[in-house]
Amino acid sequence: MGRITARRPVVKITLGVGETRRPDTLAVEEPLEIRVGGAPLVVTMRTPGHDVELAAGFLVSEGVISSGEQFRSAIHCGGPGTGAAPASGEGNTYNILDVALAPGAALPAADLARNFYTTSSCGLCGKASIEAVETVSSYDVSADDAVLDAEALAAFPDRLRAQQSVFDKTGGLHAAALFDARTGELLVLREDVGRHNAVDKVIGWAVLQDRLPLRGTVLQVSGRASFELVQKAVMAGLPVLAAVSAPSSLAVELAEASGLTLVGFLRGASMNVYSRADRVRVSAPVTA
């Protein structure tokens, strides 16, 4: 859509040198309203692009759907073929997406709708209480027999970073990537101003490819591992979540309870495995 980045003037100040004026490339952040069957569900701040994947992944994370066959279609309101245009007359802003579920799929519960926006740094801000985020997954990740080499896992952050084309231009996007645990193949990578959005886009890709549950895969993220990211992984049937930064205490608790392998501080040749370390195979002797 050509709306992923934007150019803006900036004054760059260098101490001892002076100041210069030049254009700077920024990551675009815009609201996206997700509707289901015409009814508003949520508004999230995101980087435009892969909006259908974002919506599909969000619906999995919230327990609305659990498979690709439950997701029928999605269209930007006022887009081609709808015969409608925004009342402003300015044309389609591509900031409203209406999802149609397959026949027989239950619509979201009325109390799930969040009638305010979530910020790009908070995917669970609309929840009323901690109990409300304890969504029950359709998949048992504890039973996943995925095993991967620690050496291969250690290479994932650099491989993710090498594919962050928009980050190279802006320095302002999170990234999430899905790897095959057995072969190490990079299956998909998505970037977004919100780390939870990047993960939803990855999971949404899997929904549209009808690949849920994501058995035998590793979700690699560019930032920290929060409770919400662990929850999203569990909801998608992902057995391993790896982050380059720290996990939260609640993220570790949920990973342990769910049987998910949670890796943090994955940098260079070292990593901390907080739960289900049996899935990470180490070739060298392990020291206490």
Side-chain angles (χ1 to χ4, degrees):
M1 273 186 266
R3 295 164 51 224
I4 298 176
T5 62
R7 300 280 282 176
R8 294 290 185 272
V10 63
V11 176
K12 182 176 182 179
I13 299 174
T14 304
L15 297 179
V17 177
E19 64 181 50
T20 58
R21 298 176 183 272
R22 60 179 178 81
D24 193 25
T25 302
L26 306 176
V28 169
E29 182 178 28
E30 293 182 359
L32 175 70
E33 178 182 312
I34 300 173
R35 299 177 180 177
V36 178
L41 179 62
V42 67
V43 178
T44 186
M45 303 302 293
R46 97 305 188 192
T47 299
H50 304 290
D51 287 346
V52 177
E53 292 178 352
L54 173 57
F58 178 82
L59 293 177
V60 170
S61 298
E62 294 297 329
V64 177
I65 63 173
S66 60
S67 66
E69 64 183 13
Q70 293 174 303
F71 189 95
R72 187 175 71 181
S73 62
I75 188 168
H76 285 95
C77 295
T82 66
S88 64
E90 297 177 355
N92 197 334
T93 63
Y94 293 95
N95 283 336
I96 301 175
L97 187 75
D98 195 5
V99 174
L101 300 182
L107 294 175
D111 60 359
L112 184 62
R114 308 173 190 177
N115 295 316
F116 54 91
Y117 71 87
T118 61
T119 71
S120 59
S121 62
C122 178
L124 296 172
C125 298
K127 295 295 190 180
S129 66
I130 190 64
E131 290 80 10
V133 299
E134 295 176 344
T135 310
V136 178
S137 176
S138 298
Y139 309 114
D140 180 11
V141 299
S142 67
D144 197 302
D145 59 2
V147 176
L148 67 158
D149 292 324
E151 185 176 355
L153 179 59
F156 287 174
D158 287 342
R159 293 177 62 189
L160 177 145
R161 177 66 185 84
Q163 298 295 319
Q164 287 186 256
S165 58
V166 183
F167 181 88
D168 288 337
K169 299 175 183 177
T170 66
L173 290 183
H174 292 280
L178 193 67
F179 291 89
D180 185 287
R182 183 178 61 84
T183 66
E185 178 188 0
L186 173 58
L187 302 175
V188 65
L189 182 147
R190 294 289 182 259
E191 295 180 278
D192 199 277
V193 289
R195 63 180 180 273
H196 66 281
N197 286 340
V199 170
D200 276 341
K201 288 179 178 180
V202 166
I203 295 173
W205 170 86
V207 172
L208 301 184
Q209 297 292 320
D210 201 17
R211 297 184 65 141
L212 293 188
L214 283 167
R215 297 189 181 96
T217 60
V218 179
L219 178 63
Q220 176 69 54
V221 297
S222 61
R224 64 184 179 89
S226 62
F227 174 92
E228 62 178 356
L229 296 194
V230 173
Q231 184 197 21
K232 289 177 184 296
V234 172
M235 294 299 290
L238 269 156
V240 183
L241 169 61
V244 300
S245 193
S248 68
S249 62
L250 200 57
V252 174
E253 290 177 22
L254 180 59
E256 289 177 337
S258 304
L260 174 138
T261 298
L262 179 60
V263 180
F265 293 107
L266 179 55
R267 305 170 183 173
S270 67
M271 65 192 76
N272 292 346
V273 185
Y274 294 88
S275 58
R276 287 299 302 268
D278 57 293
R279 289 196 178 103
V280 183
R281 183 167 47 210
V282 182
S283 56
V286 177
T287 57

